[in-house]
Amino acid sequence: MIPLNWYLALSAIVFAIGLYGFISQKNGIRILMCVELMLNAANINLVAFSTYNDDMSGQVFALFSIALAAAEAAIGFAIMVSIYRMRDAINLDELNLLRW
């Protein structure tokens, strides 16, 4: 059996990659992908602790989190595609759709 520390280290690395990408990127689709990486890191933690404690509640919660992330990704990508069709760019620094 793999120790819990390895799962936590993997989760920390994946979360750090997602956080770095979220902070450094200006492209909307890349930012959404980095948010998905951070959610997957949280899911790794949920499943690891659930397995470590012999309790299924963490795995069930991770399943709901995966479904929520899929819905968030679908809506986010749909918004980004509609913004791209209107402005021909997804650079978030150049967008000012909500300004008058």
Side-chain angles (χ1 to χ4, degrees), residues 25-39:
Q25 295 296 322
K26 297 187 187 335
N27 190 337
I29 293 179
R30 287 184 184 170
I31 288 176
L32 286 174
M33 289 177 12
C34 292
V35 169
E36 293 294 324
L37 275 177
M38 291 190 287
L39 287 172

Side-chain angles (χ1 to χ4, degrees), residues 18 21-38 72-84 88-95:
F22 182 78
I23 292 171
S24 67
Q25 295 296 322
K26 297 187 187 335
N27 190 337
I29 293 179
R30 287 184 184 170
I31 288 176
L32 286 174
M33 289 177 12
C34 292
V35 169
E36 293 294 324
L37 275 177
M38 291 190 287
E72 175 259 336
I75 291 171
F77 287 135
I79 290 171
M80 289 297 154
V81 167
S82 68
I83 289 173
Y84 181 75
D88 290 331
I90 306 178
N91 190 353
L92 297 181
D93 287 342
E94 297 174 3
L95 291 178

Side-chain angles (χ1 to χ4, degrees), residues 4 10 13 16 20 24-25 27-28 35-36 46-48 59-60 68-72 79 86 88 93-94 97-98:
L4 180 64
L10 174 67
I13 291 169
Y20 174 73
S24 67
Q25 295 296 322
N27 190 337
V35 169
E36 293 294 324
L46 286 171
V47 172
Q59 294 178 11
V60 172
L68 180 75
E72 175 259 336
I79 290 171
M86 286 177 19
D88 290 331
D93 287 342
E94 297 174 3
L97 293 177
L98 296 179

